[in-house]
Amino acid sequence: MSSTSPALTARYGAHAAPADVALTPLIEQLLAHRSVRAFLPDPVSDAQLAAMIAAAQSAASSSNLNVWSVVAVRDAGTRARLAEFAGGQAHVRDAPLQLVWLADLARLRRIAAQLGRPSAGLDYTEMFLTGVIDAALAAQNAAAAAESLGLGTVYIGGMRNHPQEVAALLALPPEVFAVFGMCVGTPDPARPAAVKPRPPQSVVLHHERYREDAQDAGIEAYNAAMARFYDAQKMNVHGSWAVHSAKRVAGPESLSGRDRLVEALHALGFKLS
Amino acid sequence: MSSTSPALTARYGAHAAPADVALTPLIEQLLAHRSVRAFLPDPVSDAQLAAMIAAAQSAASSSNLNVWSVVAVRDAGTRARLAEFAGGQAHVRDAPLQLVWLADLARLRRIAAQLGRPSAGLDYTEMFLTGVIDAALAAQNAAAAAESLGLGTVYIGGMRNHPQEVAALLALPPEVFAVFGMCVGTPDPARPAAVKPRPPQSVVLHHERYREDAQDAGIEAYNAAMARFYDAQKMNVHGSWAVHSAKRVAGPESLSGRDRLVEALHALGFKLS
C-alpha cells in the first residue's frame, strides 16, 4: 500500500516527493487534481450535479447547523455577469456550470424567527466563519466528486471582488455571502491543465509545535521547483514563487478590491461582532 | 453510472434521496463519511500521515499562496491540554493523532520581510479569510484520504474556544490561527459511528437564484428525518433539528466562548482591516 507514484512526483517534483506514502485509488485521484480553465461546451447533467451536492452534504458541518448553500448557475447571461464581477475571467463565462458557494446564516435566522426564538449568536464573527468553513468543506468534496466523474473544476476567489453585486444578481438575502465560485465542465483536451507543484511537506507540516525556521530549506527548494515549472509550461512569470507571492500581498491595491471586504460584509447584513 | 445506493439512502433517508445520481467509487466513499469519536489506541503511521498531507496539499490554494499549515500532535500531554481547551472532549485526548489546521499568514510575512518587500495586504480580513479557506480545503482532502485508508476523523471546532491558549501551547507565531482540530485514528469497532442524515438537496441547492421559501418543505422533512435518527440512535435530543439548531445560535452565551473570537484574533496579531 505504501509507495511513490507518478502523481506524487508531479505534485512535489522528483526530489521533494515524500518517500513513503500510503496510497489508495482515492488518494491517487486527489493527488492528480489540477485547476481547469478551458472547458468544452457540453452541459453538466442533473445526475452529475446531484452527485456533487450529495458529496458536498456528506462533508462535516459544524454542530450539523448546515450554514451553507450553493447556487447552480447555468444561464449564459448570469455567467457572463459573474465573469465580469470576478475580474473578467473568461472561464467563468465559458464553463457550462458555475457553482457559487455561500456562507448562509439566513436559513437559521429565518428558522429561529419562525419558532419565535432568539438568534443573536448569528451576529458574531464566529458564526460567519463557521459558514465559510462549512461552505469550503462542502465545496472541496464536490470538487473531488466532479473530478472522479471526469469533470474539471477551478475555484473562483474573484467572487469576493464585488460581493454586493454578486449578491444582488443571485437574489441573496441578508446574511448570505458568496465565499467563492467554482467553474465546472468537461476539460478541453486540446488545452490540458498541468498539475501544479506544491511546497515540500516540511513547509506546511509541523510536528508537535510550529517552527518557522524549519520551513526555510523547503521554501528555497520550492522556488527552484516553481521556476522549472514556469519554464516547462512556458509561463511568463518573473521572479521566484516567493517574489510572486510577496507581490500578491504587497498592499491593499494588490487585493483586487477585496480590501473592502469588511465594508461589503456589513452592507450584506453581517454584524461580525 | 447513475443509480441510487445504500450510502445515498443513509445520507438522506429513504424518501428524500435524489433519484438520479452519477456515482463513482470515490463518491460512494465520500457519501459514507461519518464523524468518529471513539478510537483504538493504534498509532497513525508516518506513511498514513504523509498521504493525508499530500492529499491536503493537492487541494486548490488561492493564487498558490499556500497560506495554511498544520501541526501534527501525537504527544499525549499536548493532546490532553488541547482536549481541555476544546471544552473537555475526551476523543481529543484519546485519538492517537490530532491535526491542528492553521490559517497561516506568518510564512508570507516572513518571506516578504526577507525579500525587503512590503506585505500590507496581509493586514486585511480578505487574507485572513483566504487562510481559513485554504486550510479548510486542505483539511477536507486529508479527511477523505484518511477514510480511504480505513481511518476515522472528526473535526474539532472547539479549537476556537480558546485560540490564544492553543497558540501558546503549539508555539504559533503571530498571524497564525488554529481554525479547527481533527482527531485521526482507527475507529473502535465496538463503538461504531452512524452516517448522519442531511437535509434534502432542495434546502441547500438553488438554481440560478437564491429562494428562501423553496427551502421550507425540505426543512420540515428534515426535522422528521432527524427525529427518526435521534430515536434510532437512542440519542436524548429534545426538540426538532430546527429547535436544536436555533438553541445553538440563541446568543453569545451559546457560542462556548467564541463570541470573543475577534478580540482573540487581534491578540494573535491579525489586523483584520
Side-chain angles (χ1 to χ4, degrees), chain B residues 75-205:
Chain B
D75 179 76
T78 308
R79 279 155 39 201
R81 296 297 306 280
L82 290 173
E84 287 170 35
F85 296 151
Q89 298 188 44
H91 41 281
V92 175
R93 185 195 60 209
D94 296 340
L97 173 64
Q98 182 68 217
L99 294 179
V100 183
W101 297 90
L102 308 170
D104 185 348
L105 303 185
R107 186 185 302 120
L108 282 189
R109 186 74 83 183
R110 189 157 176 265
I111 284 173
Q114 288 170 341
L115 294 167
R117 288 183 168 272
S119 58
L122 294 172
D123 299 348
Y124 287 80
T125 296
E126 159 64 15
M127 286 308 305
F128 168 72
L129 207 62
T130 301
V132 169
I133 296 167
D134 262 20
L137 302 184
Q140 185 54 24
N141 261 16
E147 291 179 7
S148 80
L149 290 164
L151 298 168
T153 66
V154 62
Y155 282 89
I156 305 296
M159 220 52 81
R160 299 196 296 278
N161 293 5
H162 297 283
Q164 292 159 268
E165 288 82 351
V166 170
L169 182 65
L170 303 181
L172 306 184
E175 299 183 285
V176 178
F177 168 63
V179 182
F180 43 70
M182 180 186 285
C183 299
V184 187
T186 304
D188 181 351
R191 295 177 288 170
V195 169
K196 188 172 280 179
R198 295 288 193 221
Q201 295 204 347
S202 61
V203 174
V204 298
L205 173 62

Side-chain angles (χ1 to χ4, degrees), chain A residues 12 24 57 59 64 70 72 104 107 110 121 126 140-141 148 160 170 198-199 204 206 208 210 215-216 249, chain B residues 12 24 57 59 64 70 72 104 107 110 121 126 140-141 148 160 198-199 204 206 208 210 215-216 249:
Chain A
Y12 291 103
T24 63
Q57 291 190 270
N64 194 29
V70 60
D104 184 348
R107 185 185 303 121
R110 188 158 177 265
E126 160 65 16
Q140 185 54 25
N141 261 14
S148 80
R160 298 195 298 277
L170 302 181
R198 295 286 193 224
V204 298
H206 301 259
E208 304 304 334
Y210 191 102
Q215 305 175 43
D216 287 351
V249 298
Chain B
Y12 291 103
T24 63
Q57 291 190 270
N64 194 30
V70 61
D104 185 348
R107 186 185 302 120
R110 189 157 176 265
E126 159 64 15
Q140 185 54 24
N141 261 16
S148 80
R160 299 196 296 278
R198 295 288 193 221
V204 298
H206 301 260
E208 304 303 336
Y210 191 102
Q215 305 175 44
D216 288 350
V249 299

Side-chain angles (χ1 to χ4, degrees), chain A residues 100-103 131-132 135-136 156-157 159-160 177-181, chain B residues 129 133:
Chain A
V100 183
W101 297 89
L102 308 170
V132 168
I156 305 297
M159 221 50 83
R160 298 195 298 277
F177 168 63
V179 182
F180 43 69
Chain B
L129 207 62
I133 296 167

